[in-house]
Amino acid sequence: MAKVIVVTSGKGGVGKTTSSAAIGSGLAMTGAKTVIIDFDIGLRNLDLIMGCERRVVYDLINVINGEANLQQALVKDKRIPDLYILPASQTRNKDALTKEGVQKVIDTLKSDGFEYIICDSPAGIEQGAMMALYFADEAIVTTNPEVSSVRDSDRITGMLSSKSYRSEQQLTPVKVHLLITRYCPERVQREEMLSIEDINDLLGIELLGVIPESKDVLSASNLGEPIILNQDSDAGKAYQDAVDRLQGIERDFRFVTYQKKGFLSRMFGG
Amino acid sequence: MGLLGYFRRNEPKKSSARSAKDRLQIIVAHEHSSSVSPAYLPEMQREIVEVIRKFMDISNNDVKCEFSDNAEDDMSVLEVNITLPKSK
């Protein structure tokens, strides 16, 4: 049974595309046929993060308008055999996304045997974001430990339970997961940053993963390689844990506590 | 962090994370209460307009219905505000 998973957040710049790329890649690496759809019409970036920007010919809007078929628009990943990207249009208006059009694309993907359909949502709560979440079975709400991001995540969680197909048809509600990104245990210990528990109390969403702040994420996007492929990196390992949990495998939370430095290293600024 | 920093650590300081959580708790609770209005509200508003229109000349915009949840008092309030045209 195919699963439609939206990666959303409300606020911009919290790591939706990075997370879509990492989680989509992780799922495809299990051998499940996976597609990541970029819903950020006019500001496409998933292609860059995935390193396939030079192979984009057609896009989501072309498919919706019947100017290309799905096979022509899907970009096959060169590293992971079962992974495909469906890029956003760079030139069109986001109103080109219609409910019927998106439904048609998702239905075609399902009948083509895709097991995971990851919808990378744009920021905000306008047409693009609403279309990205409308058909979702599950949602990954990406949140930074920061006030505006937490508030927006709460808002988008409300949208998932009132503005989605599942809510309108009164089906089982969208299963919502919380993904905390750019977490810095050291700053949490100094009480400069909201903790996992704080965010949990505020949002009340089941925790899927905690990705530590890491310079490897920027390096990965510089190279156009999903961060999950770097298993030497803490962030890459944390994304792998999240992918495992998404499939029902239990994993302990890593990289969430800070090991205090010893007296000597503090004295000498080590 | 050097030697001076080590001593400074002992000074009590207000936790900014604490403030963040307190502020968020208030705003999130507020936004939840204001967003949960019953689904029948628009229809009820339409019907109220219909009833009043039998007697007076009013438009849809003259009736404002607002639903609010007051967590402290354990009750909900339905506020209906009707603007009537000046009687001639």
Side-chain angles (χ1 to χ4, degrees), chain A residues 75-91:
Chain A
V75 182
K76 193 178 185 311
D77 190 83
K78 292 212 162 161
R79 298 154 293 218
I80 306 159
D82 295 300
L83 183 61
Y84 296 80
I85 312 301
L86 184 51
S89 171
Q90 187 67 314
T91 51

Side-chain angles (χ1 to χ4, degrees), chain A residues 151 154 191 201 266-267, chain B residues 1 6 15 17 21 31-32:
Chain A
R151 181 199 210 172
D154 184 64
E191 296 187 35
D201 287 352
R266 250 193 280 151
M267 282 280 284
Chain B
M1 190 183 297
Y6 178 71
S15 145
K21 190 183 181 188
E31 284 172 352
H32 275 197

Side-chain angles (χ1 to χ4, degrees), chain A residues 79-140:
Chain A
R79 298 154 293 218
I80 306 159
D82 295 300
L83 183 61
Y84 296 80
I85 312 301
L86 184 51
S89 171
Q90 187 67 314
T91 51
R92 303 301 175 81
N93 188 296
K94 58 183 174 297
D95 296 328
L97 275 179
T98 58
K99 216 174 258 184
E100 297 70 31
V102 174
Q103 171 138 49
K104 193 182 74 182
V105 170
I106 289 179
D107 286 346
T108 314
L109 287 165
K110 281 181 179 172
S111 61
D112 283 356
F114 279 94
E115 288 174 64
Y116 290 106
I117 299 165
I118 312 290
C119 302
D120 180 20
S121 172
I125 50 171
E126 286 172 56
Q127 182 76 353
M130 299 320 285
M131 285 303 103
L133 68 76
Y134 189 73
F135 294 102
D137 299 310
E138 298 190 21
I140 298 173

